[in-house]
Amino acid sequence: MKIEKLGKNHRKEVIGGLIVISVIGILAFNLTKAKYQNIEDIKLVEGNINYKPYDFKMMAMYQSDDGTNYTEINKMPESGYVINEEKSYCTINNVDKDGSAKLYTNNGEHIIKNLQKNEKCYLYFDNAYRVTSINDLANNLAKVSHLEPPTFSNAAKTDEGVYRVSDGMYGGYSYYWRGAATTNYVKFAGKCWRIIRINGDKTMRLIYDGATCHANGTSTADSIAVASTAYNSSYNKSEYVGWKYTSGSQRPSSITSGTNAPIKTTLENWYNSNIGNNTTYASKIADGKYCNDRNVQSGQSWASAPSSKFYYAGYNRIYTDCAPSLSCAALDTYSLKVGLITADEVMYAGGKNAYNEQYYLYNGQDYWTMSPCNWGSLGDAWLFYVTSDGAITNTRVNWAGADVRPVINLKADTLFASGGTGTQSNPYVVK
């Protein structure tokens, strides 16, 4: 082997090259070191885990719809599932279970916290809608529901899930289904119902869906209890928008006084024939709170038969502000075994003053709400109703073209047969 002596210029080139390589090596080392020293965030659906990359390993994730059989999954479920806190666990050095690690779901976020170095975790996810009581469903909805309100100026035509809202009548929070919901079917009293919401006291509000459970987008008269019924036989006094009314007064002096609107009597007769006369069914029914909001818009005044138009407060919430509410004045809040849906609840569910044949309240029929709308320029009282194409609009209270769709509330301790997930094919079945 022949070895040649490097010239002076060649030595400079080699030394310069070594310096460049050294600098690159130092920079690479520092960057790598920095990467593994810094605390980083990893996004888990809607939650974060604080971790060091070399400390944490997600060993496996499993998902179950029946609470018994778990299937390994590659991606964390985005909605409708909760971490099973009893089954899920983390280990240190793959040997000892870490009792300080916290694994749970809350407010729509999967939370993983208090991890240690060399932690390895196993996560088990359960279907949040597979429950055996209304109480359990309410507790799970507190974990998976959306906290931020939807955009009420748009009709909800897809399944937007469940949202949380402050409940002004019951206190606490109410959880409501919105859009083309697929997990709000209930079988009760030999009929099918759709869940409108879980009230603040954990009772469950249902709207009648007929003898069988219908898919979203189905036009059917089966979901109507009484067809072609006027809300009131008269229209020429503004008090006729009242569920109970007193002539010449904005509202009666108490919720037990006044004259019943004819639709109230019609609805209660249906209830007594189908539910109230059966002691087993009747024992499940809670005294629900129903709002017949007769407050008028700010800056306007009420009169029995004024010469000019005025609007009730619901008009602004539904048509102008797109801001529904579950609050209601005490004298407009009725304690009932059966009532009607409010225009605000229709908007929460996804309704708007535009057609919507996709959301779960659509049935291809016209049916009443119990929400006053306005006093008309022709001297007539107007109420909100849901049109045959799913929109929220208004009409005279004496119109006999709208139907009756009952709303009831089930007690919070009501039990379901095991296995139901609230779907059309696997509804909750009340025991």
Side-chain angles (χ1 to χ4, degrees):
M1 180 183 298
K2 184 177 181 181
I3 300 177
E4 295 185 1
K5 184 178 179 180
L6 294 174
K8 186 176 181 180
N9 289 336
H10 287 90
R11 286 199 300 271
K12 288 181 178 179
E13 291 175 1
V14 171
I15 292 171
L18 290 173
I19 292 172
V20 172
I21 292 171
S22 298
V23 170
I24 294 172
I26 291 169
L27 289 173
F29 174 78
N30 286 336
L31 288 172
T32 303
K33 182 180 179 182
K35 178 181 178 182
Y36 288 96
Q37 283 181 336
N38 293 338
I39 301 297
E40 300 183 5
D41 273 1
I42 183 172
K43 192 78 170 177
L44 289 184
V45 188
E46 296 297 333
N48 293 322
I49 295 177
N50 291 323
Y51 81 113
K52 293 180 181 179
Y54 60 85
D55 285 347
F56 172 70
K57 290 184 179 180
M58 183 72 73
M59 295 303 293
M61 295 183 292
Y62 305 91
Q63 179 175 300
S64 174
D65 285 319
D66 61 12
T68 302
N69 301 299
Y70 287 84
T71 302
E72 189 167 3
I73 55 176
N74 296 322
K75 182 181 179 182
M76 190 172 291
E78 294 184 359
S79 63
Y81 288 84
V82 295
I83 293 176
N84 186 315
E85 297 178 41
E86 294 182 359
K87 289 183 176 292
S88 301
Y89 65 94
C90 295
T91 65
I92 304 171
N93 297 318
N94 210 28
V95 178
D96 301 318
K97 285 189 177 181
D98 181 6
S100 64
K102 302 297 181 183
L103 312 170
Y104 59 96
T105 302
N106 186 50
N107 293 336
E109 298 180 353
H110 299 312
I111 309 297
I112 301 175
K113 59 192 296 187
N114 294 352
L115 301 184
Q116 302 181 45
K117 187 175 182 178
N118 296 323
E119 200 91 32
K120 298 178 180 179
C121 296
Y122 299 79
L123 297 183
Y124 291 80
F125 295 91
D126 289 334
N127 188 325
Y129 297 97
R130 184 185 177 276
V131 294
T132 56
S133 73
I134 293 176
N135 257 319
D136 289 343
L137 181 59
N139 291 336
N140 276 357
L141 293 181
K143 300 176 181 179
V144 302
S145 60
H146 301 292
L147 302 185
E148 295 298 322
T151 303
F152 291 114
S153 58
N154 297 329
K157 298 185 178 183
T158 62
D159 187 355
E160 294 188 8
V162 177
Y163 288 82
R164 187 182 83 172
V165 65
S166 180
D167 194 331
M169 288 191 291
Y170 287 91
Y173 293 104
S174 184
Y175 299 92
Y176 64 93
W177 277 252
R178 180 169 170 82
T182 57
T183 57
N184 65 339
Y185 290 87
V186 174
K187 292 293 296 245
F188 171 67
K191 311 291 185 182
C192 191
W193 306 75
R194 302 297 291 268
I195 307 171
I196 299 171
R197 59 188 172 106
I198 305 292
N199 303 311
D201 64 349
K202 295 187 178 181
T203 55
M204 176 185 281
R205 193 183 299 271
L206 306 174
I207 189 167
Y208 185 66
D209 197 38
T212 60
C213 295
H214 301 98
N216 296 324
T218 301
S219 177
T220 174
D222 182 44
S223 58
I224 295 302
V226 183
S228 303
T229 301
Y231 185 91
N232 199 310
S233 56
S234 300
Y235 68 89
N236 58 349
K237 291 185 178 181
S238 60
E239 54 263 35
Y240 291 148
V241 300
W243 193 246
K244 293 175 74 73
Y245 63 92
T246 297
S247 182
S249 298
Q250 185 171 357
R251 55 176 63 86
S253 58
S254 73
I255 59 173
T256 58
S257 61
T259 302
N260 289 341
I263 198 170
K264 180 178 185 293
T265 302
T266 298
L267 182 61
E268 289 172 347
N269 288 338
W270 178 91
Y271 172 83
N272 289 329
S273 297
N274 290 273
I275 297 175
N277 291 336
N278 183 306
T279 55
T280 300
Y281 297 156
S283 67
K284 311 289 186 184
I285 301 297
D287 292 323
K289 296 181 179 182
Y290 294 83
C291 184
N292 179 223
D293 182 12
R294 283 163 286 193
N295 285 326
V296 297
Q297 281 187 14
S298 177
Q300 296 188 336
S301 58
W302 184 91
S304 178
S307 58
S308 58
K309 181 182 292 189
F310 73 81
Y311 297 94
Y312 289 97
Y315 184 95
N316 265 356
R317 293 197 303 273
I318 302 304
Y319 288 151
T320 307
D321 299 332
C322 297
S325 172
L326 295 183
S327 295
C328 193
L331 287 177
D332 291 337
T333 303
Y334 288 92
S335 179
L336 306 169
K337 296 294 186 182
V338 63
L340 298 177
I341 197 168
T342 66
D344 296 83
E345 288 174 325
V346 177
M347 179 163 274
Y348 278 121
K352 189 72 176 59
N353 56 334
Y355 82 92
N356 184 357
E357 297 181 356
Q358 285 75 44
Y359 75 139
Y360 75 90
L361 288 179
Y362 167 82
N363 64 354
Q365 313 299 316
D366 299 308
Y367 59 93
W368 290 107
T369 77
M370 59 187 296
S371 298
C373 182
N374 65 283
W375 171 255
S377 57
L378 298 179
D380 40 10
W382 291 60
L383 202 83
F384 286 105
Y385 76 101
V386 179
T387 70
S388 58
D389 57 12
I392 307 173
T393 191
N394 53 299
T395 190
R396 279 183 176 181
V397 295
N398 69 324
W399 181 49
D403 307 320
V404 176
R405 196 173 181 186
V407 172
I408 59 174
N409 293 267
L410 296 179
K411 294 178 179 177
D413 60 0
T414 300
L415 300 178
F416 300 136
S418 61
T421 54
T423 63
Q424 182 188 2
S425 61
N426 190 24
Y428 298 118
V429 179
V430 175
K431 283 187 174 181

